[in-house]
Amino acid sequence: MLVIGGFIGIVNHSGAFSAGINRLSHVMTGRETWLIVIVTALISLGGTSFGMAEETIAFYPILVPIFIAAGYDAIVALAAIYLGSSIGTMCSTVNPFSTIIASNAAGINWTLGLNSRLALLIVGTVTCMLYIIRYAKRVKADPTKSLIYSQKKEIEARFLKNVSADQDHSKLEKHHSLILVLFASTFFIMVYGVSSLGWWFEEMTTLFFVSAIVIAIVDRIPEKQFVTEFIQGANDLLGVALIIAIARGVTVLMDNGMISDSILHASAAMVDGMDKGVFIVVMMFLFSGISFFVPSSSGLAVLSMPIMAPLADVVGVPRDNIVSAYQFGMGLMAFITPTGLVLASLAMVNVTFDKWLKFVLPLLGILIALSATTLLISVYI
């Protein structure tokens, strides 16, 4: 976790992410519908690959003025960014903070169940895109249909006053393009290494460390500055690392004190004979409820999987379905839970929580149905 934090810190320091978004915003001027599609897809890809969430905060000042100038409202930009991140992390495929840690805690290879999560990622991302586009077109045709129409002048004054016509977003430096390619390639290599070469945490850690060094060389970061930025990036994930350690400590205490055995025995008696479909859907909603109190994906995985995964054996459900239920349940709650990132994102665009709920709840209902259907197909087929 610490090395991945350093790796992301180096990429952020290079400015490649911001440069890529700036270039994209320039190219898509006048074609904002495609901008919705591309931004949502790219951030969803970031969410599913490395848990892109807090990093999206930096994109709001860049993208909100573009959408407002195009005749949309701030909710469109908010949705493209936040929904993209949420659906990506909800359907994590190679995300080390959820998929890999949860699978490891469940005692299985993280590539198990990958196909069903990938399928929901594609369907869920397209659903989010269509939902945002539908709302965006309605607002553009009639601005009074905006959920935040009463704040229109206030939000425009806030975001358009700093937009400079002199800003040149037309170019993406060659070294930024190369860094983005190296960043994406790191995850492709990780997937190949784990699935075909028997890699695990030591090899993955080495890969991210080497990639950070290569990116630093490409960006010509001096040695001392590289160390500083790498440590700062690792520091950003120190809390995550501590949560994993503490959660694992709780698991060790529960195992050695036979508390886990007692809970598992009682739970096994409750689910014995339960239909597989009912069981997996109940698990999804259970994880969703627990995530309100434990919003850390890695912490929840380490804390809950040693107990929940063996229950799948009792019912006859493969353990990778429990990992999927954990991801879907936690991801669904992330769309609305005030203990997560949503309030910080809303504050960035000056949208109140009640307006966000009014916008997102119909979509959440659709995603719940898609998630439950995916889980049912997985356990029965």
Side-chain angles (χ1 to χ4, degrees), residues 44 59 94 135 220 250 299 322 351 367:
S44 174
F59 298 152
V94 298
Y135 173 82
R220 297 181 180 177
V250 172
I322 293 292
V351 173
L367 294 177

Side-chain angles (χ1 to χ4, degrees), residues 4 33 37 56 59 70 92 98 104 106 111 119 141 146 187 197 208 228 235 248 288 295 303 321 337 340 349:
I4 289 175
T33 297
V37 171
T56 61
F59 298 152
S92 295
S98 57
N104 184 52
T111 57
S146 169
F187 288 92
L197 304 178
F208 283 110
T228 300
N235 181 63
R248 178 58 182 159
S288 185
L303 191 64
N321 288 294
T337 179
V349 295

Side-chain angles (χ1 to χ4, degrees), residues 123-139:
V123 175
T125 301
V126 171
T127 300
C128 290
M129 291 175 184
L130 295 176
Y131 188 83
I132 299 168
I133 292 171
R134 178 174 174 270
Y135 173 82
K137 288 183 175 180
R138 189 167 70 242
V139 168

Side-chain angles (χ1 to χ4, degrees), residues 304-336:
S304 61
M305 280 300 152
I307 294 177
M308 299 299 188
L311 290 180
D313 301 336
V314 177
V315 184
V317 172
R319 291 192 177 192
D320 61 271
N321 288 294
I322 293 292
V323 175
S324 295
Y326 140 79
Q327 289 190 182
F328 298 167
M330 185 166 192
L332 290 167
M333 180 60 74
F335 282 88
I336 58 172

Side-chain angles (χ1 to χ4, degrees), residues 7-23 58-59 62 171-173 175-177 179-180 215 219 221 225 229:
F7 167 71
I8 295 174
I10 294 299
V11 176
N12 285 333
H13 175 74
S14 72
F17 279 149
S18 298
I21 289 295
N22 273 327
R23 172 60 179 160
F59 298 152
I62 299 171
K171 294 182 180 180
L172 181 63
E173 299 293 338
H175 74 285
H176 284 151
S177 300
I179 288 171
L180 292 175
I215 289 173
D219 198 43
I221 301 175
Q225 191 171 11
E229 296 298 332

Side-chain angles (χ1 to χ4, degrees), residues 81-372:
I81 297 170
Y82 189 77
L83 293 184
S85 170
S86 298
I87 194 68
T89 53
M90 170 182 155
C91 306
S92 295
T93 50
V94 298
N95 181 1
F97 303 109
S98 57
T99 303
I100 295 179
I101 288 178
S103 299
N104 184 52
I108 59 174
N109 190 297
W110 64 268
T111 57
L112 296 176
L114 185 62
N115 291 338
S116 62
R117 292 191 284 271
L118 181 59
L120 184 59
L121 173 68
I122 296 171
V123 175
T125 301
V126 171
T127 300
C128 290
M129 291 175 184
L130 295 176
Y131 188 83
I132 299 168
I133 292 171
R134 178 174 174 270
Y135 173 82
K137 288 183 175 180
R138 189 167 70 242
V139 168
K140 190 166 187 176
D142 183 2
T144 62
K145 298 292 185 182
S146 169
L147 293 173
I148 54 174
Y149 181 70
S150 60
Q151 301 173 261
K152 187 174 187 295
K153 292 183 179 179
E154 174 191 351
I155 293 176
E156 287 180 354
R158 175 181 175 182
F159 284 99
L160 297 183
K161 67 178 181 179
N162 294 322
V163 176
S164 172
D166 297 330
Q167 286 180 304
D168 182 13
H169 302 318
S170 60
K171 294 182 180 180
L172 181 63
E173 299 293 338
K174 290 183 179 180
H175 74 285
H176 284 151
S177 300
L178 180 56
I179 288 171
L180 292 175
V181 171
L182 289 170
F183 179 82
S185 299
T186 301
F187 288 92
F188 284 115
I189 293 171
M190 182 189 75
V191 172
Y192 175 74
V194 172
S195 60
S196 303
L197 304 178
W199 287 8
W200 201 228
F201 278 101
E202 289 184 1
E203 292 82 1
M204 287 189 289
T205 301
T206 304
L207 171 64
F208 283 110
F209 183 67
V210 171
S211 294
I213 294 174
V214 173
I215 289 173
I217 293 172
V218 171
D219 198 43
R220 297 181 180 177
I221 301 175
E223 180 183 349
K224 288 185 178 180
Q225 191 171 11
F226 168 78
V227 173
T228 300
E229 296 298 332
F230 190 90
I231 292 175
Q232 181 58 51
N235 181 63
D236 291 339
L237 290 187
L238 181 59
V240 175
L242 289 174
I243 288 171
I244 295 172
I246 293 171
R248 178 58 182 159
V250 172
T251 303
V252 171
L253 290 173
M254 292 178 70
D255 286 343
N256 291 344
M258 291 184 286
I259 300 172
S260 297
D261 294 327
S262 300
I263 295 175
L264 184 59
H265 176 73
S267 301
M270 293 173 59
V271 302
D272 188 24
M274 181 182 287
D275 179 78
K276 293 190 293 186
V278 174
F279 170 78
I280 200 65
V281 173
V282 168
M283 286 292 104
M284 183 183 77
F285 284 109
L286 181 60
F287 279 117
S288 185
I290 297 174
S291 69
F292 182 87
F293 303 99
V294 187
S296 167
S297 59
S298 50
L300 179 60
V302 177
L303 191 64
S304 61
M305 280 300 152
I307 294 177
M308 299 299 188
L311 290 180
D313 301 336
V314 177
V315 184
V317 172
R319 291 192 177 192
D320 61 271
N321 288 294
I322 293 292
V323 175
S324 295
Y326 140 79
Q327 289 190 182
F328 298 167
M330 185 166 192
L332 290 167
M333 180 60 74
F335 282 88
I336 58 172
T337 179
T339 57
L341 190 62
V342 65
L343 292 185
S345 300
L346 292 174
M348 288 295 297
V349 295
N350 202 27
V351 173
T352 56
F353 188 56
D354 61 316
K355 299 292 178 58
W356 174 250
L357 289 179
K358 189 173 182 180
F359 171 79
V360 81
L361 284 179
L363 173 64
L364 185 61
I366 296 172
L367 294 177
I368 289 173
L370 288 174
S371 301

